[in-house]
Amino acid sequence: MFVVATAGHVDHGKSTLVRALTGMEPDRWAEERRRGMTIDLGFAWTTLPSGGTVAFVDVPGHERFVPNMLAGVGPVPAALIVVAADEGWMPQSAEHLAALDALGVAYGLLVVTRSDLADPGPATAHAQAQIAATSLGTVEAVAVSGLTGAGLPELRTALDRLAARLPAPTVHDPVRLWVDRSFTVRGSGTVVTGTLGAGRLRVGDELELAGADEPVRVRGLHSLGEAQTEAAAVARVAVNLRGTPRDRLGRGDALLTPGRFHHTDLVDVRLTGDPAADLPATLTLHLGSAAVPVRVRPLGPDTVRLRLARPLPLLVGDRALLRDPGRHHVAGGVRVLDVAPPPLARRGAAVARAQVLAELDGRPDLVGELRRRRLIQAGTLIRMGVPVHVAPVAGDWLADPAHWRRLGDQVTEEVARYARDHPLEPGMPVDALRQRLALPDRVLVEALVRPPLRMHAGRVGAAGADALPEPVARAVRRVRAEYGDRPFRAPEADHLVDLGLGPREIGAAVRAGALLRLADNVVLLPDALDDAVRVLAGLPQPFTLSAARQALDTTRRVAVPLLELLDRRGATRRLPDDARIVVT
Ligand SMILES: Nc1nc2c(ncn2[C@@H]2O[C@H](COP(=O)(O)OP(=O)(O)OP(=O)(O)O)[C@@H](O)[C@H]2O)c(=O)[nH]1
Ligand SMILES: [Mg+2]
């Protein structure tokens, strides 16, 4: 199926043409038929000579209903520009063409209707010249009469040729179905319709709806009046969302593949076409079927920041148009450059931002995004419309390679500085490092630690830093030199201080296993335990505390806690009479 929207001035014969081609009535409302004028969008379809199907979105031509017209053409990439032979090019011919141009519509046909009333030649020539200056370029022209049917066979074959030129739909892309109509069907509940431009919908699918806490579920699917279990782009679809109240959604809402779109109310865009120098400060942004008031902040010569009155699921590269509703005037097209732009708080930030935007063209650019954002989660970029084809550095995180190298260097520097400032600690706590580097996630710190640094017990230090800080190592060497040949004599408290072992140093040495703490201020070299067991095993068993003290050549100050430690470790056992035996 391919979908084409009509465009053109009021009364030029758009609906008559659609009716003549399809046999269906595009003017759905009694009021439209009574007034002989289209007010809202109409939908009809037919089979072409090739066997393919074309669906029409018929739009109103009256200037009052341009917002409805825009909701119809927004999601449709091809247009049938209708001009009456007897009236020729008129104001809404121009406004509709400007809208198509702003949206970047590149495929279309010119249909000169009412050619039974006047020679279609002049209207054709004039319209073709106008159209050639837009995104549509040179288009094929067909003269018809909706009344007599003249030219309709030629138009059908021209539609087939147009269909053949359209790019293949991207059925694997996520779904963003802009709702153009919503209504209630008795017994089924809420139904919405739209033009599925990309992706695939199936009955049972869960979809995201902006502002809804819960996903909505596709209960039923129709395309061109027939129930379907699945619909692939491009297609006109009617989606039954039983369980979703009718007032929850309407024209301008979008049904989305969950988690694949970023809802934003702040975008930086490039103005396309011939942007007016004095753009009003408030305009309406039309994108898809949505129309949202925006505040315009100029940045560069052709770039502006838009603050949307409500968030929309926008992607980098989206085309949209700005319109001045008061002046019935398409103010210009926009191309979305950035859907998550940085705040402009600092002085000079706007100027700097304009320079960045001058380099962007709305084509998703992974390398550029990484350079600008430095660190970002892959999912976040994908939701902005930037495909990701590089491996993450950690978890879901992507990094700009140069930034990542700088962070690696900073880790080395910060850890070295920390070691200087905290010589007794076995490395820098991971979280302190994360904060110093202002990293958003701990996994990034972990990924940045490379040899000779290593992570141990929640800290980052030089390999072996958890073994012994240098000042402590020096003190322990002195203990070993003085006490190596009398291993059960513990240095007195004041001598410990002389040796450079205050409470913090003792703590560090004990954590590192370089000293053995028996009690406060009672420390031995760690090999003393095994030595003690060997000496005690040589005594007649059981042995008393006093016998142990003499054999070990030490004092009660050491012997009492040492034996208690050996008891706890199961090397000795204390008997009811307080004598002990060595457990073999
Ligand atoms: N003679 C003649 N009259 C036509 C032809 N096409 C449309 N008309 C008449 O022109 C008037 C307007 O036709 P519509 O089809 O409603 O025009 P429209 O472009 O859909 O108008 P809007 O939807 O209001 O913008 C009607 O009275 C039609 O009968 C044609 O090819 N020949
Ligand atoms: Mg009409």
Side-chain angles (χ1 to χ4, degrees):
M1 181 192 319
F2 96 104
V3 183
V4 60
T6 59
H9 196 73
V10 64
D11 266 356
H12 276 201
K14 299 179 290 298
S15 302
T16 302
L17 180 65
V18 169
R19 207 177 291 122
L21 285 168
T22 66
M24 297 174 74
E25 177 53 66
D27 285 335
R28 297 172 287 123
W29 297 3
E31 186 190 350
E32 293 178 314
R33 294 202 282 273
R34 197 173 59 245
R35 292 170 64 181
M37 171 193 276
T38 304
I39 295 170
D40 201 6
L41 303 173
F43 307 97
W45 57 90
T46 189
T47 305
L48 292 173
S50 66
T53 306
V54 58
F56 295 97
V57 176
D58 183 37
V59 309
H62 194 282
E63 64 169 9
R64 267 183 50 210
F65 308 126
V66 168
N68 291 344
M69 179 270 180
L70 293 174
V73 300
V76 178
L80 216 58
I81 300 167
V82 173
V83 180
D86 56 328
E87 271 203 50
W89 198 250
M90 293 291 281
Q92 266 62 54
S93 314
E95 186 174 6
H96 284 195
L97 181 63
L100 297 173
D101 188 31
L103 293 170
V105 174
Y107 300 92
L109 287 180
L110 168 63
V111 187
V112 179
T113 51
R114 311 204 332 184
S115 59
D116 53 299
L117 297 178
D119 170 12
T124 306
H126 187 85
Q128 261 181 327
Q130 300 294 317
I131 297 167
T134 69
S135 56
L136 285 137
T138 303
V139 295
E140 207 180 321
V142 186
V144 305
S145 166
L147 206 68
T148 67
L152 291 185
E154 289 77 6
L155 178 53
R156 289 178 199 277
T157 56
L159 282 166
D160 255 334
R161 282 192 293 277
L162 177 63
R165 284 175 50 223
L166 291 177
T170 47
V171 291
H172 299 295
D173 279 3
V175 167
R176 179 173 53 170
L177 180 69
W178 291 104
V179 173
D180 50 34
R181 215 152 53 103
S182 67
F183 48 92
T184 309
V185 172
R186 195 190 296 271
S188 296
T190 302
V191 174
V192 300
T193 67
T195 301
L196 184 66
R200 192 186 286 278
L201 279 176
R202 292 185 190 83
V203 173
D205 277 356
E206 282 198 344
L207 297 171
E208 188 180 304
L209 171 65
D213 304 330
E214 305 255 305
V216 297
R217 190 178 286 278
V218 177
R219 303 292 180 155
L221 207 53
H222 278 68
S223 189
L224 309 186
E226 308 250 334
Q228 312 281 347
T229 53
E230 179 176 320
V234 172
R236 284 293 307 169
V237 292
V239 185
N240 176 209
L241 303 169
R242 189 160 47 201
T244 306
R246 156 83 174 76
D247 58 7
R248 273 293 301 111
L249 77 181
R251 177 170 294 172
D253 285 321
L255 291 173
L256 308 168
T257 299
R260 291 299 300 273
F261 291 88
H262 175 69
H263 295 266
T264 180
D265 61 0
L266 191 69
V267 287
D268 287 351
V269 304
R270 163 153 301 117
L271 303 170
T272 57
D274 236 342
D278 57 340
L279 215 52
T282 57
L283 286 168
T284 302
L285 179 75
H286 294 263
L287 186 137
S289 60
V292 177
V294 293
R295 297 187 54 79
V296 181
R297 171 171 180 179
L299 290 173
D302 63 351
T303 50
V304 297
R305 173 160 292 191
L306 302 178
R307 169 71 69 183
L308 283 58
R310 70 179 170 91
L312 289 178
L314 300 185
L315 299 174
V316 170
D318 271 343
R319 302 291 300 253
L321 74 82
L322 289 169
R323 185 165 180 272
D324 189 342
R327 286 164 49 196
H328 286 293
H329 169 67
V330 172
V334 304
R335 185 166 199 125
V336 175
L337 302 178
D338 192 341
V339 295
L344 301 177
R346 283 177 297 105
R347 268 172 69 89
V351 173
R353 183 62 185 164
Q355 281 162 2
V356 170
L357 294 176
E359 305 288 313
L360 306 184
D361 63 4
R363 266 183 303 206
D365 165 24
L366 178 63
V367 171
E369 292 290 347
L370 291 180
R371 195 171 56 240
R372 286 188 295 280
R373 300 181 193 273
R374 310 212 281 188
L375 271 175
I376 188 164
Q377 282 174 297
T380 309
L381 271 184
I382 290 169
R383 282 193 292 279
M384 295 178 185
V386 180
V388 168
H389 48 74
V390 297
V393 291
D396 188 33
W397 291 96
L398 307 176
D400 171 53
H403 181 60
W404 191 247
R405 274 195 302 278
R406 275 195 303 279
L407 283 172
D409 295 346
Q410 271 175 280
V411 164
T412 310
E413 286 159 24
E414 291 297 337
V415 170
R417 187 202 319 267
Y418 192 91
R420 275 198 304 281
D421 295 348
H422 306 83
L424 300 180
E425 288 186 27
M428 183 168 188
V430 170
D431 216 51
L433 188 52
R434 187 186 67 72
Q435 284 177 19
R436 274 304 287 179
L437 302 181
L439 291 174
D441 191 333
R442 195 183 153 101
V443 296
L444 292 167
V445 184
E446 291 166 9
L448 283 164
V449 173
R450 306 247 166 68
L453 295 183
R454 66 169 193 140
M455 288 245 322
H456 179 73
R459 289 174 183 260
V460 181
D466 54 319
L468 214 50
E470 183 43 37
V472 184
R474 205 177 316 120
V476 170
R477 280 197 296 276
R478 292 177 64 186
V479 174
R480 204 168 271 286
E482 275 187 48
Y483 293 86
D485 54 350
R486 38 184 186 146
F488 309 112
R489 291 291 180 90
E492 296 298 326
D494 49 0
H495 191 47
L496 282 173
V497 175
D498 295 343
L499 289 166
L501 290 169
R504 287 177 351 115
E505 287 79 4
I506 290 175
V510 168
R511 266 198 306 279
L515 286 179
L516 179 71
R517 192 204 309 263
L518 294 181
D520 274 351
N521 284 329
V522 183
V523 297
L524 296 178
L525 292 163
D527 22 346
L529 273 191
D530 287 345
D531 291 351
V533 173
R534 236 185 336 272
V535 171
L536 296 174
L539 290 176
Q541 307 287 313
F543 55 87
T544 60
L545 170 64
S546 145
R549 186 180 58 70
Q550 285 173 31
L552 297 171
D553 184 23
T554 187
T555 58
R556 282 183 61 90
R557 175 174 164 265
V558 171
V560 170
L562 176 61
L563 286 171
E564 283 170 357
L565 179 61
L566 290 174
D567 290 343
R568 282 200 299 281
R569 298 214 173 165
T572 57
R573 191 151 42 126
R574 190 170 179 172
L575 305 175
D577 64 355
D578 276 356
R580 284 181 169 82
I581 54 169
V582 171
V583 178
T584 49

